[in-house]
Amino acid sequence: MTDETLNTLRQHIENLVESGEVEELQQVLAGLHPSDIADLFPRLGRLEQNFIWDLLPEEVTPDVLVELDEAFQEKVLDTLTEGEIGRLIDDMESDDAADVVGALDEEKAQKVLNTLDLEARREMRALLAYEEDTAGGIMALEVAAVRETDNVDQAIHRLREFHETEGVEDIYTVYVVDNDGVLKGAVSLRQLILAKPEVPVRDLMEPNVISVDTSTDQEEVATLVRKYDLLSIPVVDDHHRLMGRITVDDVVDVMAEEAEEDLSIIAGTGEENPGETSALRTSRERLPWLLTGLLGGLVSAVVLQHFQESLLQVIALAFFVPVITAMGGNTGIQSSSIVVRGLATGEIGLGDLLPRIWKELRVALLNGLALGLVLATIVALWLQQPHLGILIGLILLLNILIATVLGATVPIILKRLDFDPALSMGPFVTTANDIIGLLIYLGLTATFLSLQ
Amino acid sequence: MTDETLNTLRQHIENLVESGEVEELQQVLAGLHPSDIADLFPRLGRLEQNFIWDLLPEEVTPDVLVELDEAFQEKVLDTLTEGEIGRLIDDMESDDAADVVGALDEEKAQKVLNTLDLEARREMRALLAYEEDTAGGIMALEVAAVRETDNVDQAIHRLREFHETEGVEDIYTVYVVDNDGVLKGAVSLRQLILAKPEVPVRDLMEPNVISVDTSTDQEEVATLVRKYDLLSIPVVDDHHRLMGRITVDDVVDVMAEEAEEDLSIIAGTGEENPGETSALRTSRERLPWLLTGLLGGLVSAVVLQHFQESLLQVIALAFFVPVITAMGGNTGIQSSSIVVRGLATGEIGLGDLLPRIWKELRVALLNGLALGLVLATIVALWLQQPHLGILIGLILLLNILIATVLGATVPIILKRLDFDPALSMGPFVTTANDIIGLLIYLGLTATFLSLQ
């Protein structure tokens, strides 16, 4: 639904609310996908929101709640009682339910959990115990599993039962477990339907199933699903027991989330949401990075002050400060971004530090020579001082070499230390690059001037 | 498969090739997923590559070829005759086949097409005619469709026929068309299996199907699939006739590709591949952006030269050049990245230019006041010149306001002009930001000095 359609719809709904045409409003809502209702929600006033929420068919409210932006989800949850929230999450898949409970403050979450039956409460607690960004944190517990000792008839019976009790519509793959719940293989619905009823499941199943551990990072889950074109991936515990499954639609969300996270790390915008309307909250998200940048810039200022003698002696040295800092930043970000991408797709491994540096060094040498030559020529002609031109050109080459090596190593080191490698492209490292570049530039030119 | 496993496997394979143990080698290969063979390929020498390629079972080679990195795919295609390529793509899904043909040079592509039968050739030509980044460019033609006038029995019969002739394993959703091929609705396999044979498909189908046009941008396709949790999305032409379908696994690839593209645009690394080993080719991808940066830096140098009188008069002005340029860059990238993200997810629309500027202006005012105050205080205390401190603080505020507004508007304007909004975070705009920042800084301080 485009932006325009949403706005037209918003106006239509506002008119209907104002004139109190409840039936017409119900009809409009019935024709909308829960995702669209969730998109519409932030555009409406408080009055319309409450009005609409009460009119939503009971079976649609959980879907709308799940699709709402985090900020608006919180607002809606605030207006609901613990009992109401309990009934809502009872109709959700376990992973969505855990997300909702996880968004509540501890006390309210506890009260909501207490409204659930014992089994559901136990499940929720187990899910909430996993780290948010791991396979355990994003998996759903509703997984269609049959025993390896079942025959096809028994297996289909088991699936029908599962479908009825859990109410799950989409059975992507049927997993096969032994008596201890250990994952043994997988079988497709099609195979089960086509096979003779008395054939043991064990004979049909594919025994090599790609699975992940509950502690596997969600980004790695996404890489596996992408690489092997999977519709769903089973999650197992330390004893290889089947704990849950992650479906491709959740992986799609993970990928979008990771891409957004990378972008926000690079730009230093924190967890800011594009839909956020409060300038104060936005300002607070961005300010820490800007302060880092300001302090870094002030360190640069100190470096420049330290070399003020040289600057006064040859004011032309100041002209090329932006060239030197910008080129270090540009080349550093290029090699960082390639390594960050390679690490994300697995094309670059954690052991590739030395070969990667070697590769980047050769690239930096080629680019540094080309760019250094251009700069040296321009500076020599401009200032009519060939020596200074050659010197500044050589410094550019050196600066590019160092920035490139730093750019290639920092992400790998960050990843080894379990930080997000995208950090290496953020304001912090860019600022560090500026300072190193300035030190090289002014240090070497000052030495050169003192030798003259 | 981890990096380490791949390396162990590589060694094992090299040993087997050397000792000529063909049978053992065949066994190893049979146990590997085509994706893993493709991952292994770039790690092997030319000799091993050829050896393995010939040993691969015939039904596996197309899958391996599809999964290969573009660079290696080209190398393999170079060694094959047109007839061989023709036979390979005959066993692929149409979207993969079109990608392979699209990777060939025109003459060879023509020859390969001539080895196909008339129908396949016609299909390939049609697919190749679509823009690469559109729904038409990524769709597959193998779509399971039944007629709205069919009853369930006829529909199932039609699907079985489709399965046999096309050899497609995964039927995600069954689409319903009228006699002219116009998309009318969708029905799930489960519904067809559970319904009575004589029920018309028309009575079962869901008539509201989310579809895309052949010219829809692939990023928008991904947004829709993500938003509505779809497993596949139908592609229609101008007359709403069903042309093909895009499955979620292709969407996952699109999302990864788009995220990589954004990153490469931001960093200015062109179409460089992390697995690329040639330093010369890498250097060529990166150099254009660096040259842009160098020229931008030289424009900054000209600006600085223009103000050399002021610089010589108050050398301290030079100290704060990195602060001013860096802060403009930082704030500009923050507002750009939020807008780029919002445009990608649809949270920010093309009509949101003015409200967005207003929001960013308020954020910039808050951040600019805070940062300006910090800088003013530090400069005043450091240089013992309160007037200069206040002036530089005010200039920082102004610079942040301008950079923020530019950062928020440029992506929306780029998107309106049909360019990738991520361009606004790249080296080009960052450099422009530097120059504007310098002009403001030196222009205003020079005016102030001349007034003293």
Side-chain angles (χ1 to χ4, degrees), chain B residues 17 43 56 62 78 80 123 140 164 170-171 176 183 203 212 225 268 274 289 303 327-328 341 344 348 383 401:
Chain B
V17 171
R43 291 163 193 260
L56 285 178
D78 275 348
L80 299 176
E123 281 186 4
E164 276 160 19
D170 305 309
I171 297 177
V176 183
L183 178 67
D203 293 354
V212 290
V225 167
W289 280 117
V303 172
M327 295 312 289
R341 259 160 68 186
I348 295 176
L383 303 182
L401 287 175

Side-chain angles (χ1 to χ4, degrees), chain B residues 146-165:
Chain B
V146 299
R147 297 280 174 89
E148 58 175 345
T149 48
D150 285 346
N151 63 31
V152 167
D153 195 38
Q154 290 166 317
I156 289 180
H157 189 74
R158 211 185 277 276
L159 288 178
R160 197 163 292 143
E161 230 171 43
F162 168 75
H163 176 62
E164 276 160 19
T165 55

Side-chain angles (χ1 to χ4, degrees), chain A residues 10 28 73 131 174 185 212 233 268 380:
Chain A
R10 191 201 69 211
V28 171
Q73 202 185 60
E131 291 280 339
V174 178
V212 291
I233 194 165

Side-chain angles (χ1 to χ4, degrees), chain A residues 35-36 39 169 190 227-228 264 267-268 272-274 276 283 286 334 341 347 356 359-360 367 382, chain B residues 35-36 39 169 190 227-228 264 267-268 272-274 276 283 286 334 341 347 356 359-360 367:
Chain A
S35 286
D36 290 321
D39 272 359
E169 290 296 317
R190 195 170 46 84
K227 183 173 168 191
Y228 297 111
S264 75
E272 187 188 336
N273 188 310
E276 177 66 64
S283 156
R286 297 187 192 175
Q334 284 185 335
R341 259 160 67 186
E347 281 172 276
R356 182 42 55 172
K359 152 88 193 293
E360 290 293 334
N367 287 346
W382 183 1
Chain B
S35 285
D36 290 321
D39 272 359
E169 289 297 316
R190 194 170 47 84
K227 183 172 167 190
Y228 298 110
S264 76
E272 185 187 337
N273 189 311
E276 177 65 64
S283 156
R286 297 187 192 176
Q334 285 186 334
R341 259 160 68 186
E347 282 172 274
R356 183 43 55 173
K359 153 87 193 295
E360 290 294 333
N367 287 347

Side-chain angles (χ1 to χ4, degrees), chain B residues 42-188:
Chain B
R43 291 163 193 260
L44 297 168
R46 170 76 74 171
L47 176 75
E48 285 88 2
Q49 287 177 355
N50 291 339
F51 207 95
I52 283 188
W53 187 261
D54 293 335
L55 281 186
L56 285 178
E58 210 173 300
E59 69 277 13
V60 175
T61 33
D63 296 337
V64 175
L65 187 64
V66 167
E67 299 284 345
L68 274 178
D69 259 3
E70 234 172 283
F72 283 92
Q73 201 185 59
E74 274 176 41
K75 276 192 201 161
V76 172
L77 288 174
D78 275 348
T79 65
L80 299 176
T81 68
E82 286 85 12
E84 285 168 328
I85 299 177
R87 275 191 297 281
L88 277 172
I89 64 173
D90 221 23
D91 288 333
M92 292 180 185
E93 287 201 13
S94 56
D95 52 342
D96 294 330
D99 286 345
V100 169
V101 176
L104 300 170
D105 64 63
E106 213 156 317
E107 197 187 343
K108 193 159 185 178
Q110 202 46 58
K111 284 188 189 156
V112 169
L113 286 181
N114 287 338
T115 68
L116 301 178
D117 64 50
L118 201 71
E119 172 67 9
R121 206 184 307 169
R122 206 186 48 77
E123 281 186 4
M124 270 311 99
R125 287 238 171 81
L127 275 183
L128 288 167
Y130 295 110
E131 291 281 338
E132 221 181 305
D133 294 346
T134 62
I138 56 171
M139 73 179 180
L141 299 171
E142 294 83 3
V143 50
V146 299
R147 297 280 174 89
E148 58 175 345
T149 48
D150 285 346
N151 63 31
V152 167
D153 195 38
Q154 290 166 317
I156 289 180
H157 189 74
R158 211 185 277 276
L159 288 178
R160 197 163 292 143
E161 230 171 43
F162 168 75
H163 176 62
E164 276 160 19
T165 55
E166 300 281 353
V168 177
E169 289 297 316
D170 305 309
I171 297 177
Y172 293 77
T173 311
V174 178
Y175 296 110
V176 183
V177 295
D178 70 9
N179 287 333
D180 298 322
V182 172
L183 178 67
K184 288 294 182 181
V187 63
S188 74

